[in-house]
Amino acid sequence: MIVVAKDLRPELLGVRDQGRRPTCLAFATSAANEKHALAAEHLSVEYLYYHAVGRTPGGHPGTGTTMAAAAEALLHDGQPVEAEWPYLSVMPLHWGPPRISGPAIRGELQLGKLTFDGIVAQVSAGHPVILGLIIGDQFYQPDQQGYIVPSATDIQRGGHAVLAIGHGTDLQSDFLLIRNSWGASWGIGGHAWLRRDFIDLHLQETATFKARRA
């Protein structure tokens, strides 16, 4: 059983579901931006994803985006509230943002690759960390306790972005609590525990919010 040291779930808005679109990074970034800005309602994932794809070399809405492009979109374009441009479960034939009437909440991301302990330090200070992972089949089915552990026989399926929002330990290892964007039916209400060696093996990059300028 994991002894929880930090859990930011009570400080976040509800878990969301990206459906079959490659928008995981936009969802993870949006959840982090909501926490950073103390937003009272969801911010528009669709708006962020649109501008991130536009800043991705050779970008296409069906192939996802990069942390660098998402960071540029968040810094320069920001995000209005979800109601301004609700998330589209299916891509329309003509994709473009409506006229935005409210403010766009911007933020500046620090890109890199934190160590497990560096991620823990950020989360302990109340700052979620965006994680870019390579995932395999095991990631799709956390066990009943929400554990996902590495396996030498696991087949890698590709990149995925989630948000680190907590950490804890059991008698054998340290864990990160992550929020996914596959709805509340995945894991434990949309969350799971990743063991230290899983992070060491599968982590590719991280992003954290810089402090807002005065």
Side-chain angles (χ1 to χ4, degrees), residues 102-192:
I105 298 177
R106 294 173 172 81
E108 188 173 3
L109 292 175
Q110 176 69 52
L111 306 183
K113 186 179 179 182
L114 294 173
T115 64
F116 184 96
D117 292 331
I119 297 168
V120 165
Q122 287 287 325
V123 173
S124 293
H127 310 308
V129 179
I130 302 163
L131 308 179
L133 304 170
I134 297 297
I135 62 170
D137 291 339
Q138 283 191 302
F139 190 90
Y140 290 83
Q141 295 183 322
D143 68 19
Q144 292 184 343
Q145 295 177 295
Y147 287 22
I148 301 173
V149 297
S151 168
T153 61
D154 199 14
I155 299 174
Q156 293 186 351
R157 298 299 182 183
H160 186 54
V162 297
L163 193 64
I165 61 166
H167 63 91
T169 61
D170 66 8
L171 294 176
Q172 296 181 325
S173 187
D174 303 318
F175 291 81
L176 289 179
L177 177 66
I178 57 109
R179 168 169 290 202
N180 202 359
S181 52
W182 292 350
S185 62
W186 180 86
I188 305 172
H191 303 83

Coordinates of all heavy atoms in Angstrom, one line a residue, residues 102-192:
G102 N -13.4 36.6 -24.6 CA -12.8 36.7 -23.3 C -11.3 36.7 -23.3 O -10.7 36.6 -24.4
P103 N -10.6 36.9 -22.2 CA -9.2 36.9 -22.1 C -8.6 35.5 -22.3 O -9.3 34.5 -22.1 CB -8.9 37.4 -20.7 CG -10.0 37.0 -19.9 CD -11.2 37.1 -20.8
A104 N -7.4 35.4 -22.8 CA -6.6 34.1 -22.9 C -5.6 34.1 -21.8 O -4.8 35.0 -21.6 CB -6.0 34.1 -24.3
I105 N -5.6 33.0 -21.1 CA -4.7 32.8 -20.0 C -3.4 32.2 -20.5 O -3.4 31.1 -21.1 CB -5.3 31.9 -18.9 CG1 -6.5 32.6 -18.3 CG2 -4.2 31.6 -17.8 CD1 -7.2 31.8 -17.3
R106 N -2.3 32.9 -20.4 CA -1.0 32.5 -20.9 C -0.1 32.0 -19.8 O -0.3 32.3 -18.6 CB -0.3 33.7 -21.7 CG -1.1 34.1 -22.9 CD -0.4 35.3 -23.5 NE -1.0 35.6 -24.9 CZ -2.2 36.2 -25.0 NH1 -2.9 36.6 -24.0 NH2 -2.6 36.4 -26.3
G107 N 0.9 31.3 -20.2 CA 1.9 30.8 -19.2 C 3.2 30.5 -19.9 O 3.2 30.3 -21.1
E108 N 4.3 30.4 -19.1 CA 5.6 30.1 -19.7 C 6.1 28.8 -19.1 O 6.2 28.7 -17.9 CB 6.6 31.3 -19.4 CG 7.9 31.1 -20.1 CD 8.8 32.3 -20.0 OE1 8.4 33.3 -19.2 OE2 9.9 32.3 -20.5
L109 N 6.5 27.9 -20.0 CA 6.9 26.6 -19.6 C 8.4 26.5 -19.7 O 9.1 27.0 -20.5 CB 6.3 25.5 -20.5 CG 4.8 25.3 -20.4 CD1 4.4 24.3 -21.4 CD2 4.4 24.9 -19.0
Q110 N 9.0 25.8 -18.7 CA 10.4 25.4 -18.7 C 10.5 24.0 -19.2 O 10.0 23.0 -18.5 CB 11.0 25.5 -17.3 CG 12.4 25.1 -17.2 CD 13.4 26.0 -17.9 OE1 13.3 27.2 -17.7 NE2 14.2 25.5 -18.8
L111 N 11.1 23.7 -20.3 CA 11.2 22.4 -20.9 C 12.5 21.8 -20.5 O 13.5 22.5 -20.4 CB 11.1 22.5 -22.4 CG 9.9 23.2 -23.0 CD1 9.9 23.1 -24.5 CD2 8.6 22.6 -22.5
G112 N 12.5 20.5 -20.4 CA 13.8 19.8 -20.0 C 13.5 18.3 -19.8 O 12.5 17.7 -20.3
K113 N 14.2 17.7 -18.9 CA 14.0 16.3 -18.4 C 14.4 16.2 -17.0 O 15.6 15.9 -16.7 CB 14.7 15.3 -19.3 CG 14.4 13.9 -19.0 CD 15.1 12.9 -19.9 CE 14.8 11.5 -19.5 NZ 15.6 10.5 -20.3
L114 N 13.5 16.5 -16.1 CA 13.7 16.4 -14.7 C 14.0 14.9 -14.3 O 13.4 14.0 -14.9 CB 12.6 16.9 -13.9 CG 12.3 18.4 -14.0 CD1 11.0 18.8 -13.3 CD2 13.4 19.3 -13.4
T115 N 14.7 14.7 -13.2 CA 14.9 13.4 -12.6 C 13.6 13.1 -11.8 O 12.8 14.0 -11.6 CB 16.1 13.4 -11.7 OG1 15.8 14.3 -10.6 CG2 17.4 13.7 -12.4
F116 N 13.5 11.9 -11.4 CA 12.3 11.5 -10.6 C 12.3 12.4 -9.3 O 11.2 12.9 -9.0 CB 12.5 10.0 -10.2 CG 11.3 9.5 -9.4 CD1 10.2 8.9 -10.0 CD2 11.2 9.7 -8.0 CE1 9.2 8.4 -9.3 CE2 10.1 9.3 -7.3 CZ 9.1 8.6 -7.9
D117 N 13.4 12.6 -8.7 CA 13.5 13.4 -7.5 C 13.2 14.9 -7.8 O 12.6 15.6 -7.0 CB 14.8 13.3 -6.8 CG 15.1 11.9 -6.2 OD1 14.1 11.3 -5.8 OD2 16.2 11.5 -6.1
G118 N 13.6 15.4 -9.0 CA 13.2 16.7 -9.4 C 11.7 16.9 -9.6 O 11.2 17.9 -9.2
I119 N 11.1 15.9 -10.2 CA 9.6 15.9 -10.3 C 9.0 15.9 -8.9 O 8.0 16.7 -8.7 CB 9.1 14.7 -11.1 CG1 9.7 14.8 -12.5 CG2 7.6 14.7 -11.2 CD1 9.5 13.5 -13.3
V120 N 9.4 15.1 -8.0 CA 8.9 15.1 -6.7 C 9.0 16.4 -6.0 O 8.1 16.9 -5.3 CB 9.6 14.0 -5.9 CG1 9.3 14.1 -4.4 CG2 9.1 12.6 -6.3
A121 N 10.1 17.1 -6.2 CA 10.3 18.4 -5.6 C 9.3 19.4 -6.1 O 8.8 20.2 -5.3 CB 11.8 18.9 -5.8
Q122 N 9.1 19.4 -7.4 CA 8.1 20.3 -8.0 C 6.7 20.0 -7.5 O 6.0 21.0 -7.0 CB 8.1 20.2 -9.5 CG 9.3 20.8 -10.2 CD 9.3 22.3 -10.2 OE1 8.3 22.9 -10.3 NE2 10.5 22.9 -10.1
V123 N 6.3 18.8 -7.5 CA 5.0 18.4 -7.0 C 4.8 18.7 -5.5 O 3.8 19.2 -5.1 CB 4.7 16.9 -7.3 CG1 3.4 16.5 -6.7 CG2 4.7 16.7 -8.8
S124 N 5.9 18.5 -4.7 CA 5.8 18.8 -3.3 C 5.6 20.3 -3.1 O 4.9 20.7 -2.1 CB 7.1 18.4 -2.6 OG 7.2 17.0 -2.6
A125 N 6.0 21.1 -4.0 CA 5.8 22.6 -3.9 C 4.5 23.0 -4.5 O 4.2 24.2 -4.5 CB 7.0 23.3 -4.6
G126 N 3.7 22.0 -4.9 CA 2.4 22.4 -5.4 C 2.3 22.6 -6.9 O 1.3 23.2 -7.4
H127 N 3.4 22.2 -7.6 CA 3.4 22.5 -9.1 C 3.4 21.2 -9.9 O 4.3 20.4 -9.8 CB 4.7 23.2 -9.4 CG 5.0 24.4 -8.6 ND1 4.1 25.4 -8.4 CD2 6.1 24.8 -7.8 CE1 4.6 26.3 -7.6 NE2 5.8 26.0 -7.2
P128 N 2.3 20.9 -10.6 CA 2.2 19.7 -11.4 C 3.3 19.8 -12.5 O 3.7 20.8 -12.9 CB 0.8 19.8 -12.0 CG 0.0 20.7 -11.2 CD 1.0 21.7 -10.6
V129 N 3.7 18.6 -12.9 CA 4.7 18.5 -13.9 C 4.2 17.7 -15.1 O 3.6 16.6 -15.0 CB 6.0 17.8 -13.4 CG1 7.1 17.6 -14.5 CG2 6.6 18.5 -12.2
I130 N 4.3 18.3 -16.3 CA 3.9 17.6 -17.5 C 5.0 16.6 -17.9 O 6.1 17.0 -18.0 CB 3.7 18.6 -18.7 CG1 2.6 19.7 -18.3 CG2 3.2 17.9 -20.0 CD1 2.7 20.9 -19.1
L131 N 4.5 15.4 -18.2 CA 5.5 14.3 -18.5 C 5.3 13.8 -19.9 O 4.1 13.5 -20.3 CB 5.3 13.1 -17.5 CG 5.3 13.4 -16.0 CD1 5.1 12.1 -15.3 CD2 6.6 14.0 -15.6
G132 N 6.3 13.7 -20.7 CA 6.3 13.0 -22.0 C 6.8 11.7 -21.8 O 8.0 11.5 -21.5
L133 N 6.0 10.6 -22.0 CA 6.4 9.3 -21.8 C 6.4 8.4 -23.1 O 5.6 8.8 -24.0 CB 5.5 8.6 -20.8 CG 5.3 9.2 -19.4 CD1 4.1 8.6 -18.7 CD2 6.6 9.1 -18.6
I134 N 7.1 7.4 -23.1 CA 6.9 6.3 -24.1 C 6.1 5.2 -23.3 O 6.6 4.7 -22.3 CB 8.2 5.7 -24.6 CG1 9.0 6.8 -25.4 CG2 7.9 4.5 -25.5 CD1 8.3 7.3 -26.6
I135 N 5.0 4.8 -23.8 CA 4.1 3.9 -23.1 C 4.0 2.6 -23.9 O 4.2 2.5 -25.1 CB 2.7 4.4 -22.8 CG1 2.0 4.7 -24.1 CG2 2.8 5.7 -21.9 CD1 0.5 5.1 -23.9
G136 N 3.7 1.5 -23.2 CA 3.5 0.2 -23.7 C 2.1 -0.3 -23.3 O 1.3 0.4 -22.8
D137 N 1.9 -1.6 -23.6 CA 0.6 -2.2 -23.3 C 0.1 -2.1 -21.9 O -1.0 -2.0 -21.6 CB 0.5 -3.6 -23.8 CG 0.6 -3.8 -25.3 OD1 0.3 -2.8 -26.0 OD2 1.0 -4.8 -25.8
Q138 N 1.1 -2.2 -21.0 CA 0.8 -2.2 -19.5 C 0.1 -0.9 -19.1 O -0.7 -0.9 -18.2 CB 2.0 -2.5 -18.7 CG 2.4 -3.9 -18.7 CD 3.5 -4.2 -17.6 OE1 4.5 -3.6 -17.7 NE2 3.2 -5.1 -16.7
F139 N 0.5 0.2 -19.8 CA -0.1 1.5 -19.4 C -1.6 1.5 -19.5 O -2.3 2.3 -18.8 CB 0.6 2.6 -20.2 CG 0.3 4.0 -19.7 CD1 1.1 4.6 -18.8 CD2 -0.8 4.7 -20.2 CE1 0.8 5.9 -18.3 CE2 -1.1 5.9 -19.8 CZ -0.3 6.5 -18.8
Y140 N -2.1 0.8 -20.5 CA -3.5 0.8 -20.8 C -4.4 0.2 -19.7 O -5.6 0.5 -19.6 CB -3.8 0.1 -22.1 CG -3.3 0.9 -23.3 CD1 -2.0 0.8 -23.7 CD2 -4.1 1.8 -24.0 CE1 -1.5 1.5 -24.8 CE2 -3.6 2.5 -25.1 CZ -2.3 2.4 -25.4 OH -1.8 3.1 -26.5
Q141 N -3.8 -0.7 -18.9 CA -4.6 -1.4 -17.8 C -3.9 -1.4 -16.5 O -3.3 -2.4 -16.1 CB -4.9 -2.8 -18.3 CG -5.7 -2.9 -19.6 CD -6.0 -4.3 -19.9 OE1 -5.2 -5.2 -19.8 NE2 -7.3 -4.6 -20.4
P142 N -4.0 -0.3 -15.8 CA -3.4 -0.3 -14.4 C -4.1 -1.4 -13.6 O -5.3 -1.7 -13.8 CB -3.8 1.1 -13.9 CG -4.0 1.9 -15.1 CD -4.6 1.0 -16.1
D143 N -3.4 -1.9 -12.5 CA -4.1 -2.9 -11.7 C -5.1 -2.3 -10.8 O -5.4 -1.1 -10.9 CB -3.1 -3.7 -11.0 CG -2.3 -3.0 -9.9 OD1 -2.8 -1.9 -9.4 OD2 -1.3 -3.4 -9.4
Q144 N -5.7 -3.1 -9.9 CA -6.9 -2.6 -9.1 C -6.4 -1.5 -8.1 O -7.3 -0.7 -7.7 CB -7.5 -3.8 -8.4 CG -8.2 -4.8 -9.3 CD -8.9 -5.9 -8.5 OE1 -8.6 -6.1 -7.4 NE2 -9.9 -6.5 -9.2
Q145 N -5.2 -1.5 -7.8 CA -4.7 -0.4 -7.0 C -4.1 0.8 -7.7 O -3.7 1.8 -7.1 CB -3.5 -1.0 -6.1 CG -4.0 -2.0 -5.1 CD -2.8 -2.6 -4.3 OE1 -1.9 -3.2 -4.8 NE2 -2.9 -2.3 -3.0
G146 N -4.3 0.7 -9.0 CA -3.8 1.8 -9.9 C -2.3 1.8 -10.2 O -1.8 2.8 -10.6
Y147 N -1.7 0.7 -9.9 CA -0.2 0.6 -10.2 C 0.0 0.3 -11.7 O -0.6 -0.5 -12.3 CB 0.4 -0.6 -9.4 CG 0.6 -0.4 -7.9 CD1 -0.2 0.6 -7.2 CD2 1.5 -1.1 -7.2 CE1 -0.1 0.7 -5.9 CE2 1.6 -0.9 -5.8 CZ 0.9 0.0 -5.2 OH 1.0 0.1 -3.8
I148 N 1.1 1.0 -12.2 CA 1.6 0.6 -13.5 C 3.1 0.4 -13.3 O 3.8 1.4 -12.9 CB 1.4 1.7 -14.6 CG1 -0.1 1.9 -14.7 CG2 2.0 1.3 -15.9 CD1 -0.4 3.1 -15.6
V149 N 3.7 -0.8 -13.5 CA 5.1 -1.0 -13.3 C 5.7 -1.5 -14.6 O 5.0 -2.0 -15.5 CB 5.3 -2.1 -12.2 CG1 4.8 -1.6 -10.9 CG2 4.6 -3.4 -12.6
P150 N 7.0 -1.3 -14.8 CA 7.6 -1.7 -16.1 C 7.8 -3.2 -16.2 O 7.8 -3.9 -15.2 CB 9.0 -1.0 -16.0 CG 9.3 -0.9 -14.5 CD 7.9 -0.6 -13.9
S151 N 7.9 -3.6 -17.4 CA 8.1 -5.0 -17.7 C 9.0 -5.2 -18.9 O 8.9 -4.4 -19.9 CB 6.7 -5.7 -18.0 OG 6.9 -7.0 -18.5
A152 N 9.9 -6.1 -18.8 CA 10.9 -6.4 -19.9 C 10.2 -6.9 -21.1 O 10.7 -6.7 -22.2 CB 11.9 -7.4 -19.4
T153 N 9.0 -7.4 -21.0 CA 8.3 -8.0 -22.2 C 7.2 -7.0 -22.7 O 6.6 -7.3 -23.7 CB 7.6 -9.3 -21.8 OG1 6.7 -9.1 -20.7 CG2 8.6 -10.3 -21.3
D154 N 7.1 -5.8 -22.1 CA 6.1 -4.9 -22.6 C 6.5 -4.3 -23.9 O 7.6 -4.0 -24.2 CB 6.0 -3.7 -21.6 CG 4.7 -3.0 -21.7 OD1 3.7 -3.5 -22.4 OD2 4.6 -1.9 -21.1
I155 N 5.5 -4.2 -24.8 CA 5.7 -3.7 -26.2 C 5.4 -2.2 -26.2 O 4.3 -1.8 -25.8 CB 4.8 -4.4 -27.2 CG1 5.2 -5.9 -27.2 CG2 5.0 -3.8 -28.6 CD1 4.2 -6.7 -28.1
Q156 N 6.4 -1.4 -26.6 CA 6.2 0.0 -26.7 C 5.3 0.4 -27.8 O 5.3 -0.2 -28.9 CB 7.6 0.7 -26.9 CG 8.5 0.6 -25.7 CD 9.7 1.4 -25.9 OE1 10.0 2.0 -27.0 NE2 10.5 1.5 -24.8
R157 N 4.3 1.3 -27.5 CA 3.3 1.7 -28.5 C 3.4 3.1 -29.0 O 2.8 3.5 -30.0 CB 1.9 1.5 -27.9 CG 1.6 0.1 -27.5 CD 1.6 -0.8 -28.7 NE 1.3 -2.2 -28.3 CZ 1.3 -3.2 -29.2 NH1 1.6 -3.0 -30.4 NH2 1.0 -4.4 -28.8
G158 N 4.2 4.0 -28.3 CA 4.4 5.4 -28.8 C 4.4 6.4 -27.6 O 4.4 6.0 -26.4
G159 N 4.4 7.6 -28.0 CA 4.5 8.7 -27.0 C 3.1 9.0 -26.4 O 2.1 8.9 -27.1
H160 N 3.1 9.5 -25.2 CA 1.9 9.9 -24.5 C 2.3 11.0 -23.4 O 3.4 10.9 -22.8 CB 1.2 8.7 -23.8 CG -0.1 9.0 -23.2 ND1 -1.1 9.7 -24.0 CD2 -0.6 8.8 -22.0 CE1 -2.2 9.8 -23.2 NE2 -1.9 9.3 -22.0
A161 N 1.4 11.9 -23.2 CA 1.7 13.0 -22.2 C 0.6 12.8 -21.0 O -0.6 12.6 -21.3 CB 1.6 14.3 -22.8
V162 N 1.1 13.0 -19.8 CA 0.3 12.9 -18.6 C 0.8 14.0 -17.7 O 1.8 14.7 -18.0 CB 0.3 11.6 -17.9 CG1 -0.3 10.5 -18.8 CG2 1.7 11.2 -17.5
L163 N 0.1 14.2 -16.5 CA 0.5 15.2 -15.6 C 0.8 14.5 -14.2 O 0.0 13.8 -13.7 CB -0.7 16.2 -15.4 CG -0.4 17.5 -14.7 CD1 0.6 18.3 -15.5 CD2 -1.7 18.3 -14.5
A164 N 2.0 14.8 -13.7 CA 2.4 14.3 -12.4 C 1.8 15.2 -11.3 O 2.0 16.4 -11.4 CB 3.9 14.3 -12.2
I165 N 1.0 14.7 -10.4 CA 0.2 15.5 -9.5 C 0.4 15.0 -8.0 O -0.3 15.6 -7.1 CB -1.3 15.6 -9.8 CG1 -1.9 14.3 -9.8 CG2 -1.4 16.3 -11.2 CD1 -3.4 14.3 -9.8
G166 N 1.2 14.0 -7.8 CA 1.4 13.5 -6.4 C 2.5 12.6 -6.4 O 3.1 12.2 -7.4
H167 N 2.9 12.2 -5.2 CA 3.9 11.1 -5.0 C 3.7 10.4 -3.7 O 3.0 11.0 -2.7 CB 5.3 11.8 -5.1 CG 5.6 12.8 -4.1 ND1 6.2 12.4 -2.9 CD2 5.5 14.1 -4.0 CE1 6.4 13.5 -2.2 NE2 6.0 14.6 -2.8
G168 N 4.3 9.3 -3.6 CA 4.2 8.5 -2.3 C 5.2 7.3 -2.4 O 5.9 7.2 -3.4
T169 N 5.2 6.5 -1.4 CA 6.1 5.3 -1.3 C 5.3 4.1 -0.7 O 4.3 4.3 0.0 CB 7.3 5.6 -0.4 OG1 6.8 5.9 1.0 CG2 8.1 6.8 -0.9
D170 N 5.8 2.9 -1.1 CA 5.4 1.7 -0.4 C 6.7 1.1 0.2 O 7.7 1.8 0.3 CB 4.6 0.8 -1.3 CG 5.5 0.2 -2.4 OD1 6.7 0.4 -2.4 OD2 4.9 -0.5 -3.2
L171 N 6.6 -0.1 0.6 CA 7.8 -0.7 1.3 C 8.9 -1.0 0.3 O 10.1 -1.3 0.8 CB 7.4 -2.1 1.9 CG 6.4 -1.9 3.1 CD1 6.0 -3.3 3.6 CD2 7.0 -1.1 4.2
Q172 N 8.7 -0.9 -1.0 CA 9.7 -1.3 -2.0 C 10.2 -0.1 -2.8 O 11.3 -0.2 -3.3 CB 9.1 -2.4 -2.9 CG 8.8 -3.7 -2.1 CD 8.3 -4.8 -3.1 OE1 7.6 -4.5 -4.0 NE2 8.7 -6.0 -2.8
S173 N 9.4 0.9 -3.1 CA 9.8 1.9 -4.1 C 9.0 3.2 -3.8 O 8.1 3.3 -3.0 CB 9.5 1.4 -5.5 OG 10.0 2.2 -6.4
D174 N 9.4 4.2 -4.7 CA 8.7 5.5 -4.7 C 7.8 5.5 -5.9 O 8.1 4.8 -6.9 CB 9.8 6.6 -4.8 CG 10.8 6.6 -3.7 OD1 10.3 6.4 -2.5 OD2 12.0 6.8 -4.0
F175 N 6.8 6.3 -5.9 CA 5.8 6.4 -6.9 C 5.4 7.8 -7.2 O 5.4 8.7 -6.3 CB 4.5 5.6 -6.6 CG 4.7 4.1 -6.5 CD1 5.2 3.5 -5.4 CD2 4.3 3.3 -7.6 CE1 5.3 2.1 -5.3 CE2 4.4 2.0 -7.5 CZ 4.9 1.3 -6.4
L176 N 5.1 8.1 -8.5 CA 4.4 9.3 -8.9 C 2.9 9.0 -9.2 O 2.6 8.0 -9.8 CB 5.0 9.9 -10.1 CG 6.4 10.5 -10.1 CD1 6.8 11.0 -11.4 CD2 6.5 11.6 -9.0
L177 N 2.1 9.9 -8.7 CA 0.7 9.9 -9.0 C 0.5 10.7 -10.3 O 0.8 11.9 -10.3 CB -0.2 10.4 -7.9 CG -1.7 10.5 -8.2 CD1 -2.3 9.1 -8.3 CD2 -2.4 11.3 -7.0
I178 N -0.1 10.1 -11.3 CA -0.3 10.9 -12.6 C -1.8 11.0 -12.9 O -2.6 10.1 -12.6 CB 0.5 10.2 -13.7 CG1 0.1 8.8 -14.0 CG2 2.0 10.3 -13.5 CD1 -0.7 8.5 -15.2
R179 N -2.1 12.1 -13.6 CA -3.5 12.2 -14.1 C -3.4 12.0 -15.6 O -2.6 12.6 -16.3 CB -4.0 13.7 -13.8 CG -5.2 14.0 -14.6 CD -5.9 15.3 -14.1 NE -6.5 15.1 -12.8 CZ -7.5 15.8 -12.3 NH1 -8.0 16.8 -13.0 NH2 -8.0 15.5 -11.1
N180 N -4.3 11.2 -16.1 CA -4.4 10.9 -17.5 C -5.5 11.7 -18.1 O -6.3 12.4 -17.4 CB -4.5 9.4 -17.7 CG -4.1 8.9 -19.1 OD1 -3.7 9.7 -20.0 ND2 -4.2 7.6 -19.4
S181 N -5.7 11.5 -19.4 CA -6.8 12.2 -20.1 C -7.7 11.2 -20.9 O -8.1 11.5 -22.0 CB -6.3 13.3 -21.1 OG -5.3 12.8 -21.9
W182 N -7.9 10.0 -20.3 CA -8.7 9.0 -20.9 C -10.0 8.8 -20.1 O -10.6 7.7 -20.1 CB -7.9 7.7 -20.9 CG -6.7 7.7 -21.9 CD1 -6.5 8.7 -22.8 CD2 -5.7 6.8 -22.0 NE1 -5.3 8.4 -23.5 CE2 -4.8 7.2 -23.1 CE3 -5.4 5.5 -21.4 CZ2 -3.7 6.5 -23.5 CZ3 -4.3 4.8 -21.8 CH2 -3.4 5.3 -22.8
G183 N -10.4 9.8 -19.4 CA -11.7 9.7 -18.7 C -11.5 9.0 -17.3 O -10.5 8.5 -17.0
A184 N -12.6 9.1 -16.5 CA -12.5 8.7 -15.1 C -12.6 7.2 -15.0 O -12.4 6.6 -13.9 CB -13.7 9.3 -14.3
S185 N -12.9 6.4 -16.1 CA -13.0 5.0 -16.0 C -11.6 4.3 -16.1 O -11.5 3.1 -15.8 CB -13.9 4.4 -17.1 OG -13.3 4.7 -18.4
W186 N -10.6 5.1 -16.4 CA -9.2 4.5 -16.5 C -8.6 4.7 -15.2 O -8.7 5.7 -14.5 CB -8.4 5.3 -17.6 CG -7.0 4.9 -17.7 CD1 -6.5 3.9 -18.5 CD2 -5.8 5.4 -17.0 NE1 -5.2 3.7 -18.4 CE2 -4.7 4.6 -17.5 CE3 -5.6 6.4 -16.1 CZ2 -3.4 4.9 -17.0 CZ3 -4.3 6.6 -15.6 CH2 -3.3 5.9 -16.1
G187 N -7.9 3.6 -14.7 CA -7.1 3.7 -13.5 C -8.1 3.9 -12.3 O -9.1 3.3 -12.2
I188 N -7.6 4.8 -11.4 CA -8.4 5.1 -10.2 C -9.0 6.5 -10.5 O -8.3 7.5 -10.3 CB -7.6 5.1 -9.0 CG1 -6.9 3.8 -8.8 CG2 -8.4 5.5 -7.7 CD1 -5.9 3.8 -7.6
G189 N -10.2 6.5 -11.1 CA -10.8 7.8 -11.4 C -10.0 8.7 -12.3 O -10.0 9.9 -12.2
G190 N -9.3 8.0 -13.2 CA -8.5 8.8 -14.2 C -7.1 9.0 -13.8 O -6.3 9.7 -14.5
H191 N -6.6 8.3 -12.7 CA -5.3 8.5 -12.2 C -4.6 7.1 -12.0 O -5.3 6.1 -12.0 CB -5.3 9.2 -10.8 CG -6.0 10.5 -10.9 ND1 -7.3 10.7 -10.8 CD2 -5.5 11.8 -11.0 CE1 -7.7 12.0 -10.9 NE2 -6.5 12.6 -11.0
A192 N -3.3 7.1 -11.9 CA -2.5 5.9 -11.7 C -1.2 6.2 -11.0 O -0.8 7.4 -11.0 CB -2.3 5.1 -13.0

